[in-house]
Protein backbone atom coordinates (compact mmCIF):
# COMPACT_ATOMS: atom_id res chain seq x y z
CA UNK A 1 0.00 0.00 0.00
CA UNK A 2 1.58 3.34 -1.03
CA UNK A 3 2.07 6.16 1.44
CA UNK A 4 -0.97 8.44 1.55
CA UNK A 5 -0.54 11.92 0.05
CA UNK A 6 -3.01 14.46 1.44
CA UNK A 7 -3.50 18.11 0.47
CA UNK A 8 -5.22 21.08 2.05
CA UNK A 9 -6.98 22.26 -1.11
CA UNK A 10 -8.49 20.73 -4.23
CA UNK A 11 -6.36 23.21 -6.24
CA UNK A 12 -3.34 21.04 -5.45
CA UNK A 13 -4.71 17.96 -7.23
CA UNK A 14 -3.78 17.72 -10.91
CA UNK A 15 -4.95 14.93 -13.23
CA UNK A 16 -2.70 11.86 -12.92
CA UNK A 17 0.05 11.35 -15.45
CA UNK A 18 -0.91 7.69 -15.89
CA UNK A 19 -3.37 5.18 -14.41
CA UNK A 20 -0.75 4.07 -11.89
CA UNK A 21 -0.44 7.49 -10.23
CA UNK A 22 -2.05 7.28 -6.75
CA UNK A 23 -4.80 9.68 -5.85
CA UNK A 24 -4.46 12.49 -3.32
CA UNK A 25 -6.81 12.97 -0.38
CA UNK A 26 -8.25 16.48 -0.02
CA UNK A 27 -8.63 17.46 3.64
CA UNK A 28 -11.65 19.73 4.30
CA UNK A 29 -11.01 23.28 5.47
CA UNK A 30 -11.28 23.94 9.23
CA UNK A 31 -14.36 26.13 8.76
CA UNK A 32 -16.22 23.30 7.02
CA UNK A 33 -15.34 20.43 9.37
CA UNK A 34 -15.18 20.03 13.13
CA UNK A 35 -11.99 19.03 14.93
CA UNK A 36 -13.48 15.65 15.86
CA UNK A 37 -14.31 14.94 12.22
CA UNK A 38 -10.79 15.92 11.15
CA UNK A 39 -9.32 13.53 13.72
CA UNK A 40 -11.60 10.72 12.55
CA UNK A 41 -10.62 11.26 8.90
CA UNK A 42 -6.92 11.21 9.76
CA UNK A 43 -7.36 8.03 11.82
CA UNK A 44 -8.93 6.34 8.79
CA UNK A 45 -6.03 7.39 6.57
CA UNK A 46 -3.50 6.09 9.11
CA UNK A 47 -5.36 2.80 9.48
CA UNK A 48 -5.44 2.29 5.72
CA UNK A 49 -2.02 3.54 4.64
CA UNK A 50 0.16 3.53 7.76
CA UNK A 51 1.76 6.94 7.12
CA UNK A 52 0.32 10.20 5.78
CA UNK A 53 2.19 13.06 4.10
CA UNK A 54 0.20 16.31 4.12
CA UNK A 55 1.30 19.06 1.71
CA UNK A 56 0.31 22.50 2.99
CA UNK A 57 1.48 25.64 1.13
CA UNK A 58 2.89 28.42 3.31
CA UNK A 59 0.31 30.72 1.69
CA UNK A 60 -2.58 28.72 3.19
CA UNK A 61 -4.57 30.42 5.98
CA UNK A 62 -3.04 30.07 9.44
CA UNK A 63 -6.12 28.15 10.60
CA UNK A 64 -5.28 25.34 8.17
CA UNK A 65 -1.85 24.72 9.65
CA UNK A 66 -3.20 25.09 13.20
CA UNK A 67 -5.82 22.42 12.52
CA UNK A 68 -3.23 20.02 11.11
CA UNK A 69 -0.92 20.47 14.08
CA UNK A 70 -3.83 20.03 16.50
CA UNK A 71 -4.86 16.77 14.83
CA UNK A 72 -1.32 15.46 14.84
CA UNK A 73 -0.83 16.41 18.49
CA UNK A 74 -4.12 14.95 19.72
CA UNK A 75 -3.49 11.68 17.91
CA UNK A 76 0.04 11.62 19.38
CA UNK A 77 1.16 10.09 16.12
CA UNK A 78 4.64 10.16 14.62
CA UNK A 79 3.30 8.86 11.31
CA UNK A 80 1.95 12.20 10.01
CA UNK A 81 4.34 14.45 8.04
CA UNK A 82 3.48 18.12 7.48
CA UNK A 83 5.27 19.35 4.34
CA UNK A 84 5.27 23.12 3.76
CA UNK A 85 6.14 24.66 0.38
CA UNK A 86 6.69 28.24 -0.79
CA UNK A 87 5.86 27.41 -4.40
CA UNK A 88 2.98 29.30 -6.07
CA UNK A 89 -0.29 27.37 -6.48
CA UNK A 90 0.39 25.75 -9.87
CA UNK A 91 3.97 24.84 -8.91
CA UNK A 92 2.75 23.38 -5.62
CA UNK A 93 0.23 21.25 -7.51
CA UNK A 94 3.06 19.93 -9.71
CA UNK A 95 5.07 19.06 -6.59
CA UNK A 96 2.10 17.16 -5.16
CA UNK A 97 1.69 15.17 -8.36
CA UNK A 98 5.38 14.25 -8.35
CA UNK A 99 5.05 13.02 -4.77
CA UNK A 100 2.02 11.00 -5.82
CA UNK A 101 4.06 9.44 -8.64
CA UNK A 102 6.89 8.53 -6.28
CA UNK A 103 4.47 7.22 -3.64
CA UNK A 104 3.82 4.25 -5.90
CA UNK A 105 7.54 3.36 -5.89
CA UNK A 106 9.56 1.58 -3.23
CA UNK A 107 10.62 4.69 -1.29
CA UNK A 108 10.04 4.70 2.44
CA UNK A 109 7.64 7.33 3.85
CA UNK A 110 10.55 9.24 5.44
CA UNK A 111 12.46 9.52 2.17
CA UNK A 112 9.30 10.56 0.34
CA UNK A 113 8.49 13.33 2.83
CA UNK A 114 12.00 14.76 2.88
CA UNK A 115 12.27 14.57 -0.92
CA UNK A 116 9.69 17.35 -1.31
CA UNK A 117 12.27 20.09 -0.74
CA UNK A 118 14.64 18.49 -3.24
CA UNK A 119 11.95 18.18 -5.92
CA UNK A 120 10.85 21.80 -5.44
CA UNK A 121 14.28 22.95 -6.58
CA UNK A 122 13.62 21.49 -10.04
CA UNK A 123 10.22 23.17 -10.54
CA UNK A 124 10.41 26.48 -12.41
CA UNK A 125 7.20 28.21 -11.36
CA UNK A 126 6.15 31.68 -12.46
CA UNK A 127 3.54 33.77 -14.23
CA UNK A 128 2.99 36.55 -16.73
CA UNK A 129 1.26 39.39 -14.88
CA UNK A 130 -0.59 42.50 -15.99
CA UNK A 131 0.66 44.30 -12.88
CA UNK A 132 3.16 43.74 -10.07
CA UNK A 133 1.88 46.54 -7.85
CA UNK A 134 0.38 44.05 -5.36
CA UNK A 135 2.92 41.28 -5.74
CA UNK A 136 4.49 40.73 -2.30
CA UNK A 137 5.70 37.10 -2.48
CA UNK A 138 8.50 37.77 -4.98
CA UNK A 139 11.04 40.60 -4.57
CA UNK A 140 10.04 43.45 -6.90
CA UNK A 141 12.19 46.55 -7.36
CA UNK A 142 10.90 50.10 -7.35
CA UNK A 143 11.50 50.42 -11.08
CA UNK A 144 9.26 47.47 -11.84
CA UNK A 145 6.56 48.88 -9.57
CA UNK A 146 6.68 52.17 -11.45
CA UNK A 147 6.64 50.46 -14.85
CA UNK A 148 3.57 48.45 -13.83
CA UNK A 149 1.53 51.65 -14.05
CA UNK A 150 2.34 52.07 -17.75
CA UNK A 151 -0.60 51.18 -20.04
CA UNK A 152 -0.29 47.66 -21.42
CA UNK A 153 2.78 46.75 -19.36
CA UNK A 154 3.19 43.01 -18.76
CA UNK A 155 5.76 41.30 -16.57
CA UNK A 156 7.20 37.80 -16.58
CA UNK A 157 7.92 36.70 -13.01
CA UNK A 158 9.76 33.60 -11.86
CA UNK A 159 9.07 32.69 -8.23
CA UNK A 160 11.41 29.71 -7.96
CA UNK A 161 13.90 28.25 -7.77
CA UNK A 162 15.54 31.69 -8.23
CA UNK A 163 13.27 34.78 -8.16
CA UNK A 164 13.44 36.91 -11.29
CA UNK A 165 11.31 39.52 -13.04
CA UNK A 166 11.50 41.03 -16.53
CA UNK A 167 9.20 43.30 -18.47
CA UNK A 168 7.67 41.56 -21.46
CA UNK A 169 8.60 43.11 -24.82
CA UNK A 170 11.06 45.64 -23.39
CA UNK A 171 14.27 43.93 -24.45
CA UNK A 172 15.25 43.28 -20.83
CA UNK A 173 15.98 39.64 -21.62
CA UNK A 174 14.07 36.56 -20.62
CA UNK A 175 13.71 34.39 -17.54
CA UNK A 176 16.56 32.02 -16.74
CA UNK A 177 15.21 28.54 -17.30
CA UNK A 178 16.16 24.94 -16.54
CA UNK A 179 19.17 23.24 -18.11
CA UNK A 180 17.30 19.96 -18.48
CA UNK A 181 14.34 18.77 -20.49
CA UNK A 182 10.97 19.66 -19.00
CA UNK A 183 7.26 19.87 -19.71
CA UNK A 184 5.35 23.15 -19.42
CA UNK A 185 2.01 23.46 -17.64
CA UNK A 186 -0.11 26.59 -18.21
CA UNK A 187 -3.11 27.98 -16.34
CA UNK A 188 -4.76 31.01 -17.91
CA UNK A 189 -6.42 33.80 -15.96
CA UNK A 190 -7.84 37.05 -17.30
CA UNK A 191 -4.69 38.08 -19.19
CA UNK A 192 -4.61 37.48 -22.93
CA UNK A 193 -1.03 36.63 -23.89
CA UNK A 194 0.87 33.84 -25.62
CA UNK A 195 4.24 34.85 -24.19
CA UNK A 196 4.83 31.55 -22.29
CA UNK A 197 4.36 29.45 -25.42
CA UNK A 198 6.16 31.81 -27.82
CA UNK A 199 9.17 32.54 -25.58
CA UNK A 200 9.54 29.84 -22.96
CA UNK A 201 8.88 26.76 -25.09
CA UNK A 202 11.82 27.33 -27.50
CA UNK A 203 14.19 28.63 -24.78
CA UNK A 204 13.45 26.31 -21.87
CA UNK A 205 13.93 22.99 -23.66
CA UNK A 206 10.24 22.14 -23.37
CA UNK A 207 9.37 18.78 -24.87
CA UNK A 208 6.13 18.82 -26.82
CA UNK A 209 3.42 21.43 -26.62
CA UNK A 210 2.44 23.24 -23.45
CA UNK A 211 -0.26 21.52 -21.39
CA UNK A 212 -3.29 23.55 -20.29
CA UNK A 213 -4.80 23.29 -16.79
CA UNK A 214 -7.45 25.15 -14.86
CA UNK A 215 -6.23 28.18 -12.92
CA UNK A 216 -6.13 27.44 -9.17
CA UNK A 217 -8.57 29.52 -7.15
CA UNK A 218 -5.75 30.72 -4.92
CA UNK A 219 -3.58 31.99 -7.80
CA UNK A 220 -4.99 35.56 -8.06
CA UNK A 221 -4.43 36.05 -4.34
CA UNK A 222 -0.90 34.62 -4.47
CA UNK A 223 0.16 36.77 -7.44
CA UNK A 224 -1.79 39.88 -6.41
CA UNK A 225 -3.84 40.10 -9.61
CA UNK A 226 -6.33 38.11 -11.65
CA UNK A 227 -4.74 39.31 -14.91
CA UNK A 228 -2.21 36.53 -15.26
CA UNK A 229 -1.11 33.38 -17.01
CA UNK A 230 0.58 31.02 -14.55
CA UNK A 231 3.13 28.45 -15.69
CA UNK A 232 5.34 25.72 -14.27
CA UNK A 233 8.14 23.75 -15.97
CA UNK A 234 8.96 20.42 -14.36
CA UNK A 235 10.46 16.95 -14.76
CA UNK A 236 7.64 14.80 -16.13
CA UNK A 237 9.16 11.32 -16.31
CA UNK A 238 8.85 9.03 -13.30
CA UNK A 239 12.12 7.13 -14.01
CA UNK A 240 14.04 10.41 -13.93
CA UNK A 241 12.35 11.51 -10.69
CA UNK A 242 13.08 8.10 -9.20
CA UNK A 243 16.77 8.26 -10.07
CA UNK A 244 17.02 11.81 -8.75
CA UNK A 245 15.72 10.82 -5.33
CA UNK A 246 17.33 7.38 -5.20
CA UNK A 247 20.80 8.78 -5.89
CA UNK A 248 20.81 10.81 -2.65
CA UNK A 249 22.42 9.30 0.41
CA UNK A 250 19.93 8.19 3.04
CA UNK A 251 20.24 8.79 6.75
CA UNK A 252 18.23 7.66 9.78
CA UNK A 253 16.58 10.30 11.93
CA UNK A 254 18.01 10.15 15.46
CA UNK A 255 14.67 11.31 16.86
CA UNK A 256 11.89 9.30 15.18
CA UNK A 257 14.04 6.67 13.39
CA UNK A 258 12.55 7.52 9.98
CA UNK A 259 14.71 7.42 6.87
CA UNK A 260 15.52 10.80 5.38
CA UNK A 261 17.49 12.55 2.67
CA UNK A 262 18.92 16.02 3.13
CA UNK A 263 19.53 17.64 6.48
CA UNK A 264 16.09 17.49 8.11
CA UNK A 265 13.54 14.78 8.82
CA UNK A 266 10.32 15.18 6.88
CA UNK A 267 8.21 13.73 9.69
CA UNK A 268 9.45 15.18 12.97
CA UNK A 269 11.50 18.09 11.61
CA UNK A 270 14.61 17.14 13.60
CA UNK A 271 17.85 18.31 11.92
CA UNK A 272 20.57 15.87 11.02
CA UNK A 273 23.36 16.12 13.64
CA UNK A 274 26.56 17.73 12.40
CA UNK A 275 29.47 15.96 14.10
CA UNK A 276 29.46 14.45 17.57
CA UNK A 277 27.40 11.53 18.83
CA UNK A 278 23.72 11.45 17.95
CA UNK A 279 21.24 11.94 20.82
CA UNK A 280 19.69 8.82 22.33
CA UNK A 281 16.50 8.02 20.40
CA UNK A 282 15.07 6.46 23.57
CA UNK A 283 14.98 9.83 25.29
CA UNK A 284 12.44 11.44 22.98
CA UNK A 285 9.01 12.41 24.21
CA UNK A 286 5.88 10.47 23.34
CA UNK A 287 4.56 11.66 19.97
CA UNK A 288 7.90 13.45 19.69
CA UNK A 289 7.24 15.33 16.46
CA UNK A 290 5.38 18.19 18.16
CA UNK A 291 7.86 18.43 21.03
CA UNK A 292 10.90 18.46 18.81
CA UNK A 293 9.56 20.69 16.08
CA UNK A 294 8.22 23.43 18.34
CA UNK A 295 10.61 23.19 21.25
CA UNK A 296 14.39 22.99 21.28
CA UNK A 297 15.10 23.58 17.62
CA UNK A 298 18.79 23.14 16.94
CA UNK A 299 18.76 24.18 13.31
CA UNK A 300 21.57 26.36 12.07
CA UNK A 301 20.95 29.83 10.55
CA UNK A 302 19.94 29.58 6.91
CA UNK A 303 19.05 25.90 7.11
CA UNK A 304 15.64 26.39 5.51
CA UNK A 305 17.10 28.30 2.57
CA UNK A 306 19.80 25.70 2.17
CA UNK A 307 17.30 22.87 2.30
CA UNK A 308 16.37 22.95 -1.39
CA UNK A 309 19.76 21.69 -2.38
CA UNK A 310 20.86 19.79 0.68
CA UNK A 311 21.80 16.18 0.72
CA UNK A 312 22.34 15.96 -3.02
CA UNK A 313 25.31 13.87 -4.10
CA UNK A 314 28.10 15.57 -6.00
CA UNK A 315 27.57 13.61 -9.20
CA UNK A 316 27.52 14.54 -12.83
CA UNK A 317 24.29 14.08 -14.81
CA UNK A 318 25.86 11.10 -16.54
CA UNK A 319 26.69 9.47 -13.22
CA UNK A 320 23.14 9.99 -12.06
CA UNK A 321 21.86 8.18 -15.10
CA UNK A 322 23.81 5.04 -14.25
CA UNK A 323 21.68 4.40 -11.19
CA UNK A 324 24.81 3.83 -9.09
CA UNK A 325 25.22 5.46 -5.71
CA UNK A 326 28.42 7.32 -6.44
CA UNK A 327 30.52 9.48 -4.12
CA UNK A 328 28.49 11.58 -1.75
CA UNK A 329 29.40 15.13 -0.78
CA UNK A 330 27.87 14.83 2.66
CA UNK A 331 24.47 15.58 4.15
CA UNK A 332 24.94 19.34 3.73
CA UNK A 333 26.01 19.48 0.09
CA UNK A 334 24.83 22.76 -1.35
CA UNK A 335 25.01 22.25 -5.11
CA UNK A 336 22.12 20.28 -6.63
CA UNK A 337 22.86 18.03 -9.54
CA UNK A 338 21.15 18.25 -12.90
CA UNK A 339 18.70 15.46 -13.62
CA UNK A 340 19.73 12.95 -16.27
CA UNK A 341 18.83 14.06 -19.75
CA UNK A 342 18.28 10.50 -20.97
CA UNK A 343 17.53 7.25 -19.26
CA UNK A 344 20.25 4.57 -19.29
Amino acid sequence: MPTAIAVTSADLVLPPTDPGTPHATVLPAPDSQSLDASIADMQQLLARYGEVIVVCPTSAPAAVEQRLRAVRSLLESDRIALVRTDLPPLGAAVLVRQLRQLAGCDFSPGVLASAARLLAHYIYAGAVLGSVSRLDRVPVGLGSHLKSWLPGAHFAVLAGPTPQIVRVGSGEGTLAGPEFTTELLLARGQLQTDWPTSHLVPRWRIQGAAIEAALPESSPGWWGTGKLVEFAAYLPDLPVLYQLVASVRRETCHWCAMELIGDRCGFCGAPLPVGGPAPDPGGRAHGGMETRASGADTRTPGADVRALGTGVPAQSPRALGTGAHAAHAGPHALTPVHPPRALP
Side-chain angles (χ1 to χ4, degrees), residues 6 45 68 91 102 115-116 122 155 176 182 190 194 197 216 218 227 274 278 311 313 336 343:
L45 286 176
L68 291 172
L102 293 172
Y122 297 95
F155 295 87
T182 61
Q190 301 174 8
D194 292 326
T197 54
S218 55
K227 296 182 178 180
V274 183
L343 296 180

Side-chain angles (χ1 to χ4, degrees), residues 31-252:
D31 57 0
S32 63
Q33 186 180 50
S34 66
L35 178 59
D36 290 341
S38 297
I39 293 175
D41 287 348
M42 186 62 69
Q43 285 177 322
Q44 291 181 359
L45 286 176
L46 291 172
R48 181 177 180 182
Y49 295 97
E51 287 82 16
V52 179
I53 298 174
V54 184
V55 180
C56 177
T58 55
S59 58
V64 175
E65 181 184 1
Q66 293 169 359
R67 171 61 62 87
L68 291 172
R69 294 191 179 279
V71 170
R72 191 171 64 174
S73 180
L74 291 172
L75 288 176
E76 296 185 338
S77 174
D78 56 1
R79 295 182 295 154
I80 304 172
L82 179 57
V83 174
R84 308 303 306 276
T85 177
D86 295 325
L87 288 171
L90 192 63
V94 169
L95 174 62
V96 170
R97 186 166 64 181
Q98 290 180 338
L99 290 175
R100 290 163 53 195
Q101 290 177 276
L102 293 172
C105 301
D106 57 355
F107 291 121
S108 67
V111 169
L112 192 61
S114 55
R117 291 189 291 176
L118 171 65
L119 296 174
H121 189 84
Y122 297 95
I123 298 175
Y124 285 69
V128 180
L129 308 177
S131 172
V132 293
S133 59
R134 296 184 179 181
L135 179 61
D136 58 2
R137 299 187 182 276
V138 179
V140 180
L142 178 60
S144 297
H145 271 295
L146 295 177
K147 293 176 184 177
S148 67
W149 294 98
L150 297 176
H154 295 165
F155 295 87
V157 183
L158 189 65
T162 303
Q164 189 181 358
I165 178 171
V166 297
R167 185 183 174 191
V168 174
S170 64
E172 296 180 5
T174 188
L175 301 178
E179 298 180 0
F180 45 87
T181 303
T182 61
E183 281 188 357
L184 185 67
L185 186 65
L186 293 180
R188 300 184 181 275
Q190 301 174 8
L191 187 65
Q192 300 297 322
T193 179
D194 292 326
W195 189 87
T197 54
S198 62
H199 286 72
L200 297 185
V201 170
R203 290 173 173 82
W204 278 19
R205 305 182 60 182
I206 306 297
Q207 63 179 22
I211 303 173
E212 300 274 348
L215 184 72
E217 292 183 3
S218 55
S219 291
W222 201 99
W223 294 103
T225 178
K227 296 182 178 180
L228 80 159
V229 176
E230 192 171 4
F231 57 82
Y234 57 94
L235 293 166
D237 298 324
L238 177 57
V240 177
L241 292 173
Y242 183 91
Q243 289 185 8
L244 183 63
V245 176
S247 64
V248 182
R249 178 178 175 178
R250 303 183 189 184
E251 307 284 351
T252 300

Side-chain angles (χ1 to χ4, degrees), residues 118 122 242-250 261-262 308-317 319-321 323-339:
L118 171 65
Y122 297 95
Y242 183 91
Q243 289 185 8
L244 183 63
V245 176
S247 64
V248 182
R249 178 178 175 178
R250 303 183 189 184
I261 60 175
L308 286 176
T310 53
V312 184
Q315 303 180 53
S316 67
L320 232 182
H325 288 204
H328 175 55
H332 300 282
L334 301 181
T335 306
V337 298
H338 295 302

